[in-house]
Amino acid sequence: MHFGLSYVLVTAVRQLTWLVLIALLLSTLSWTLRNTRSAEPLAPGEIDLQTLSSMRAADILWVDARSKAKFDSRHIPGALLLNQADWESLVSNFYDQWQPGRQVVVYGEVDSDNGQEVASRLREESAIENVWVLKGGYEAWRAR
Amino acid sequence: MAGQVVEWVLRVLVGVVLAAAGAAKAFQPEAFAVEVDRFQLTPWLLSLALGYFLPWFEIVTAIALFFRPLYLGALLAISGLGMLFAVAVGSAWWRELDISCGCFGALVSGRVDAWHLVSALLFVGVGSALLVYQGRLRSKAPEMSSKPS
């Protein structure tokens, strides 16, 4: 290899290491500040309203994991009902509404696991990867 | 002389694009992590790590283009970022994933298409070409190559 280019490449690799370290430091600082401000960091498979606000509405498929009574009373506009109790009768409607590329966001009550349960079941049965649970549940959306 | 002018123009263009792309995503890392995850190439935790790391890496690289001690590293980083982007975009395009690029966070919501692949390969080309140019400068006049042009 040409001597000049060899020197350049070796030097470039050394300098790149510094760039990676600096970026790692800044990103770690960013992560620390963001997760210190919020009460709890996002768990795997969880998503918050702040993240969703930067996405296009058409790219989100809302899934309500609560009871039918609560869904009929109030729900996120455009959401479809899919809960454990009526899974067999409701899941076909979900598949009719879902399209590849859409982010599926499941919400339940903040003090219940129904959102997590429905999301887990969706991931297992449908093999859809982009299934998220809304942090804070329906209450977080109401309080925005 | 012409080579130095071209080099400066490229440094400014690439620096501006990288800085803008990084700044647009650095303060919404979770949103960018979602965009990375939609390429379906990485598990969620790695997507989240990249969501935090990549925007700051872009910003640092953009600054390093004008900082002599790290200039060559910045050129290598540009080639690497371009290659990474080309693999991701090419993979999404091949699998016909209907997803947005995520290049500039929420500022621009362009679907992945051939233009993104071309842009990525341009970055690889520019970074590589400038590295080769610096190599030639050092070969021709080592005593003058203590600093970039």
Side-chain angles (χ1 to χ4, degrees):
Chain A
M1 187 182 288
H2 199 279
F3 175 75
L5 191 56
S6 300
Y7 168 79
V8 160
L9 286 176
V10 169
T11 306
V13 169
R14 192 171 64 239
Q15 292 176 4
L16 178 62
T17 306
W18 280 107
L19 291 178
V20 169
L21 287 174
I22 294 168
L24 269 175
L25 182 66
L26 290 171
S27 55
T28 303
L29 200 61
S30 171
W31 184 87
T32 305
L33 286 173
R34 291 181 73 84
N35 289 289
T36 299
R37 271 206 309 267
S38 60
E40 299 170 13
L42 290 175
E46 218 173 31
I47 198 166
D48 58 12
L49 284 173
Q50 183 183 2
T51 305
L52 290 167
S53 67
S54 66
M55 297 167 62
R56 299 190 323 162
D59 289 340
I60 301 170
L61 176 60
W62 293 101
V63 173
D64 193 319
R66 302 173 303 158
S67 66
K68 188 174 187 304
K70 287 190 175 178
F71 177 83
D72 288 339
S73 170
R74 222 172 245 168
H75 57 266
I76 294 177
L80 54 92
L81 178 65
L82 180 60
N83 54 37
Q84 292 276 48
D86 302 308
W87 184 273
E88 297 304 328
S89 61
L90 295 171
V91 72
S92 58
N93 184 41
F94 168 79
Y95 287 115
D96 289 340
Q97 299 293 325
W98 177 76
Q99 292 170 346
R102 291 185 87 180
Q103 304 294 315
V104 179
V105 182
V106 183
Y107 66 88
E109 285 109 356
V110 64
D111 55 356
S112 165
D113 290 333
N114 47 18
Q116 284 284 2
E117 290 171 0
V118 167
S120 296
R121 190 169 178 180
L122 266 178
R123 290 187 195 111
E124 285 172 16
E125 293 189 5
S126 69
I128 297 172
E129 292 186 1
N130 298 334
V131 178
W132 309 92
V133 179
L134 178 65
K135 183 179 172 69
Y138 178 69
E139 287 75 8
W141 188 84
R142 282 288 307 277
R144 79 193 194 291
Chain B
M1 181 63 181
Q4 293 176 1
V5 171
V6 170
E7 185 185 22
W8 262 104
V9 169
L10 288 174
R11 284 165 78 178
V12 169
L13 283 176
V14 171
V16 167
V17 169
L18 268 184
K25 298 176 303 218
F27 301 100
Q28 290 186 317
E30 286 91 3
F32 180 52
V34 170
E35 299 288 350
V36 170
D37 198 65
R38 291 173 76 192
F39 281 86
Q40 299 175 24
L41 291 173
T42 50
W44 166 245
L45 283 179
L46 182 55
S47 301
L48 188 60
L50 289 172
Y52 274 91
F53 174 75
L54 280 178
W56 287 108
F57 188 61
E58 288 172 341
I59 292 170
V60 167
T61 299
I63 294 171
L65 278 173
F66 303 97
F67 187 56
R68 189 182 75 183
L70 296 175
Y71 174 62
L72 297 178
L75 295 181
L76 191 58
I78 289 164
S79 300
L81 282 170
M83 188 66 67
L84 186 69
F85 189 43
V87 167
V89 166
S91 166
W93 197 32
W94 179 261
R95 290 177 291 161
E96 297 180 346
L97 295 180
D98 186 22
I99 59 175
S100 102
C101 155
C103 321
F104 290 87
L107 288 180
V108 177
S109 58
R111 292 295 192 206
V112 165
D113 57 21
W115 168 240
H116 292 104
L117 188 57
V118 168
S119 303
L121 294 174
L122 274 175
F123 263 71
V124 177
V126 166
S128 304
L130 290 178
L131 276 172
V132 170
Y133 177 67
Q134 286 296 316
R136 286 184 178 166
L137 283 180
R138 279 158 177 77
S139 296
K140 286 178 182 175
E143 69 279 8
M144 291 172 55
S145 60
S146 60
K147 55 183 172 182
S149 57

